[in-house]
Amino acid sequence: MGGRLEGRTALVTGAGSGIGRATALLLAQEGAHVVATDIDAGAAEETASGAGGSMTVLAHDVSDAGAWERAVAAAAGAGGGLSILVNNAGIAPKATIEQETLEGWRRVHEVCLDSVYLGCHAALPAMAAGGGGSIVNISSVAALRGVAVYAAYCSAKAGVHMVTKTIALHCGRRGYNIRANSVHPGPIDTPILDPDRERFGQRAIDARAEAIPLGRIGRPEEVAQCVAFLASDDSSFVNGTELVVDGGFCAK
Ligand code: NAP
């Protein structure tokens, strides 16, 4: 299947790795012009080099309001106007509520949650002016299930879950023709798991897999397929909701 996003421009954050990379590549394969941004522009360049089509690459720290203005301007000016925003960039340092420092707590919220505010705040006028589109915010199962060692991360991802609904409601009231949904991956095999892998080896992955009814952790491409669905007209009546992509983890 291909071509569902022909003529559209998509801005994908954290596109230099993992889920963001797989998403940028799939949206490009579906015909979108992708603006692939990452705090590490070199990593986003690597993503673009695998695309085989046109991708615009930008260095972009999602916690920086000024960088958001530049990224949205680039996407809005990239032929066809901005109609798809994927707020994907995130960090997941481990700390319980007792271990977490105020600085660490704030950084997780800046990167995982403030970024969604900044991105939507900056992009909505351009998306509305262009006739609408789709916002996909990457949350986590950590928004739906508490995890003791991810205090700040659970908090930030729960914020992403709920703010997404407010965006959908706001856009509906304003008649923007913009849908907003959140995606909630379970454990996915990306570099975000590397600190655990380095510390505990394969055991870290096996323990996660055991908790999943499908018996394995997910692949970034499996999340990307869900993002592409929400970005495309295939999901034209799906709005203000959450898509859990977790192999059944949350079914318990
Ligand atoms: P990943 O492979 O580490 O990719 C995240 C990307 O975001 C990296 O390229 C990272 O750059 C970049 N990034 C970090 N801070 C940034 C910032 N301030 N501004 C812009 N880019 C920044 O992780 P992933 O697993 O693909 O995660 C993608 C999203 O899925 C995140 O929101 C994550 O919370 C969510 N998620 C992941 C899982 C999972 O198990 N993998 C599960 C649930 C939800 P650096 O590498 O240079 O830091």
Side-chain angles (χ1 to χ4, degrees):
M1 205 189 329
R4 283 185 292 177
L5 303 175
E6 215 63 62
R8 301 186 199 180
T9 297
L11 196 167
V12 181
T13 69
S17 178
I19 293 167
R21 171 171 287 174
T23 297
L25 290 171
L26 181 59
L27 299 190
Q29 197 183 315
E30 291 283 0
H33 177 77
V34 175
V35 178
T37 83
D38 200 282
I39 197 164
D40 177 351
E45 288 284 1
E46 267 182 53
T47 300
S49 71
S54 76
M55 227 185 242
T56 301
V57 169
L58 285 180
H60 174 205
D61 177 346
V62 293
S63 65
D64 176 343
W68 265 111
E69 294 300 332
R70 292 188 289 279
V72 167
L82 175 61
S83 63
I84 298 164
L85 171 64
V86 184
N87 282 304
N88 164 77
I91 54 173
K94 264 184 165 173
T96 66
I97 195 70
E98 285 197 273
Q99 293 164 337
E100 188 60 275
T101 61
L102 183 56
E103 189 189 1
W105 175 269
R106 286 183 174 153
R107 187 60 187 155
V108 169
H109 283 80
E110 277 174 3
V111 177
C112 292
L113 178 58
D114 295 2
S115 60
V116 172
Y117 155 73
L118 289 171
C120 294
H121 191 79
L124 276 180
M127 291 178 71
S134 174
I135 293 172
V136 184
N137 294 328
I138 307 299
S139 178
S140 170
V141 292
L144 310 171
R145 295 284 185 277
V147 188
V149 293
Y150 286 116
Y153 185 72
C154 284
S155 165
K157 290 298 188 180
V160 173
H161 183 201
M162 200 47 63
V163 77
T164 303
K165 294 182 188 297
T166 76
I167 296 160
L169 294 171
H170 168 73
C171 290
R173 282 165 63 160
R174 297 301 301 262
Y176 284 165
N177 190 33
I178 296 173
R179 296 180 293 109
N181 294 287
S182 55
V183 170
H184 299 252
I188 306 296
D189 194 2
T190 77
I192 215 169
L193 302 181
D194 283 353
D196 259 15
R197 248 192 218 104
E198 279 155 24
R199 195 158 167 217
F200 304 110
Q202 188 56 30
R203 270 189 307 134
I205 307 303
D206 293 345
R208 284 177 161 89
E210 274 167 27
I212 297 175
L214 285 182
R216 64 173 177 85
I217 67 170
R219 297 184 295 273
E221 293 75 16
E222 293 176 305
V223 182
Q225 288 288 350
C226 297
V227 178
F229 165 71
L230 291 172
S232 78
D233 294 342
D234 287 353
S235 60
S236 52
F237 205 53
V238 181
N239 190 25
T241 193
E242 48 284 308
L243 179 46
V244 179
V245 191
D246 69 347
F249 175 76
C250 286
K252 285 176 272 182

